[in-house]
Amino acid sequence: MIPSKTLSRYMVKMLITRFIGILLGLVSVLMMLVLLAQADDVLAAEGASWVSIVSFIALRAPQLASQFAPFATLIASLLTLATLNQNSEVVVMKAAGLSAHRILLPLGLATFMIAGVHFVFNETVVVDANAELEYWEANDFAIDLPPNEGPVGRVWIKEENTLILVENVSEIGNRVVLDVISIFEKSDIGHLRAMARADFAIYQNNEWTLHEVRRFDVESHNLAITPSIKWNISVEPERFLALTVRPDHVSFIQLWKSIQQLEREGLSTDQPMASFLQKFAAPASSLLMPLLAAVAAFGVTRAGNLIIRLVFGMALGFSFFVADNFMLAMGEFGVAPPLLAAWSPFLLFLLVGYAVLFNTEEGRMPAKIANRIFNKQSTNNKPS
């Protein structure tokens, strides 16, 4: 039996309204704590005013909302199911013939909508806010900064016997610019032969050009200074851009293109692939919350252990978040395969949630009834 539309709308409305209220409350409290810690740094910039504080809130609040959306879903699910249980509404639904799965179905639909909005919000708002806030923080919250032109980050590249370190990579128009390049040239047996440092390099007309180059020869101890020189390396600019991509700064489409570029270069893609899969697994974690919170819904209310079941549901949710963060870290460090790192916590706690559900009174009742019927039939079949 499927819940009626009225009952489904009632349960969905309960969960959504609680979710929005809890998420807004969490973001507000956490935002106040963040401001207490960083407001002085924001206002320390020359010319900073209340506008800087508002800009900081506008960039930081989406991060907090995205980070704590699954937690808000867990709390909202617990409160919704506990309220239904305390008001004996779960008993009424069970008396109407609804199973545990049918009772949880409307909440599953609500969390599916939350997960969808969470995913779109991440890919459209949060990634841009992450990039802009990090760029702003790197420049000490300065006022009137030029626009952030692209990926920012340190890159190491090994090309034959040459080791290259780039402090910053940016894309300006149709040109890729490398800032502060350090070049370490080694011999065939691995000894350092020369060191070079350039202020910047530009890729244009299918070739690299180093500017303001200082090269030190280890054997002769000669230091040569050249205003500009052609850089004969086979590394394409797309490789530098792909290596500087920050998964939390780009959409999943851009991250996928970066992964494909790294695969063409023959480089390891385990770390970005783990982050790519996590972009889907993180919003999907909200789908688990009604199942983990179901322990608060089923059981005899008069037993007086509702608080214990709420705490147990909360503990299950926290355990999931700990396992999820742990496996994500393992995936980013290359210790665990990307697919395992992203989805193993979800699948593990899906099984845990079902195990808990089947071991509540709701799950045990069919077994009790079946045992009684079996015992009754066995008694009737005994020879007189």
Side-chain angles (χ1 to χ4, degrees):
M1 182 177 179
I2 299 176
S4 66
K5 292 182 179 180
T6 302
L7 178 60
S8 298
R9 284 196 298 266
Y10 171 67
M11 297 178 66
V12 169
K13 183 179 178 180
M14 286 183 68
L15 179 61
I16 295 296
T17 53
R18 283 167 171 76
F19 167 78
I20 294 174
I22 293 169
L23 185 61
L24 290 177
L26 281 173
V27 172
S28 300
V29 172
L30 293 171
M31 194 70 246
M32 291 177 62
L33 296 176
V34 171
L35 286 176
L36 288 174
Q38 292 190 271
D40 291 340
D41 296 333
V42 176
L43 294 175
E46 184 178 356
S49 63
W50 64 270
V51 178
S52 300
I53 296 295
V54 173
S55 300
F56 179 79
I57 293 174
L59 294 175
R60 191 71 176 92
Q63 299 178 5
L64 295 174
S66 175
Q67 183 178 357
F68 287 93
F71 178 71
T73 307
L74 172 65
I75 302 298
S77 300
L78 283 169
L79 292 179
T80 300
L81 292 172
T83 302
L84 292 173
N85 190 6
Q86 195 171 23
N87 295 334
S88 300
E89 291 170 289
V90 173
V91 175
V92 173
M93 285 185 267
K94 289 161 64 177
L98 294 179
S99 65
H101 293 85
R102 299 301 187 188
I103 295 173
L104 294 177
L105 179 60
L107 301 186
L109 295 176
T111 53
F112 182 81
M113 291 187 288
I114 291 173
V117 172
H118 185 190
F119 177 78
V120 174
F121 183 71
N122 277 348
E123 298 303 303
T124 56
V125 177
V126 176
V127 292
D128 292 336
N130 288 339
E132 290 299 324
L133 183 58
E134 184 167 326
Y135 175 66
W136 195 22
E137 286 179 337
N139 290 275
D140 298 323
F141 300 103
I143 305 300
D144 297 329
L145 279 175
N148 187 5
E149 297 293 344
V152 178
R154 173 178 287 193
V155 177
W156 284 94
I157 287 181
K158 186 178 184 300
E159 182 69 12
E160 296 180 351
N161 292 332
T162 302
L163 193 62
I164 304 166
L165 170 62
V166 180
E167 296 293 338
N168 182 39
V169 181
S170 57
E171 189 174 13
I172 304 175
N174 58 351
R175 296 184 299 179
V176 175
V177 179
L178 312 179
D179 292 328
V180 189
I181 306 100
S182 300
I183 305 170
F184 305 90
E185 301 175 10
K186 295 184 178 181
S187 63
D188 293 335
I189 60 176
H191 292 166
L192 185 63
R193 188 174 59 187
M195 294 182 294
R197 189 178 180 88
D199 288 351
F200 62 96
I202 298 178
Y203 186 83
Q204 198 170 16
N205 299 325
N206 297 323
E207 64 179 10
W208 287 103
T209 304
L210 294 170
H211 296 269
E212 303 299 331
V213 184
R214 297 170 295 281
R215 186 177 186 275
F216 177 75
D217 190 279
V218 175
E219 294 182 358
S220 63
H221 291 201
N222 289 332
L223 178 64
I225 301 176
T226 308
S228 64
I229 187 174
K230 290 185 178 180
W231 191 14
N232 296 320
I233 60 170
S234 59
V235 181
E236 297 292 330
E238 290 79 11
R239 183 172 174 183
F240 287 103
L241 293 173
L243 288 171
T244 55
V245 164
R246 293 282 301 276
D248 58 338
H249 291 182
V250 297
S251 66
F252 76 97
I253 297 176
Q254 293 172 288
L255 183 56
W256 179 250
K257 291 179 180 178
S258 173
I259 293 172
Q260 289 181 316
Q261 178 62 33
L262 294 176
E263 287 179 344
R264 286 193 291 267
E265 297 283 347
L267 302 175
S268 173
T269 60
D270 286 349
Q271 180 177 352
M273 181 58 74
S275 300
F276 175 81
L277 295 174
Q278 186 65 21
K279 283 181 173 288
F280 298 92
S285 62
S286 295
L287 298 174
L288 275 180
M289 298 305 122
L291 187 61
L292 298 181
V295 66
F298 304 112
V300 181
T301 307
R302 63 178 178 274
N305 58 358
L306 181 60
I307 298 299
I308 297 177
R309 286 186 272 123
L310 283 172
V311 172
F312 184 69
M314 186 77 70
L316 283 176
F318 273 114
S319 300
F320 168 77
F321 296 134
V322 171
D324 188 49
N325 289 329
F326 175 78
M327 290 305 299
L328 176 60
M330 293 298 99
E332 290 180 346
F333 282 109
V335 177
L339 189 63
L340 182 67
W343 288 103
S344 60
F346 182 92
L347 297 176
L348 173 62
F349 278 84
L350 181 66
L351 296 176
V352 170
Y354 270 109
V356 172
L357 181 62
F358 288 140
N359 279 279
T360 59
E361 183 181 356
E362 173 71 15
R364 292 195 302 265
M365 283 301 294
K368 290 181 179 179
I369 295 172
N371 288 333
R372 290 176 183 175
I373 294 174
F374 177 78
N375 293 332
K376 184 176 181 180
Q377 289 179 346
S378 299
T379 303
N380 294 333
N381 293 331
K382 285 183 179 181
S384 56

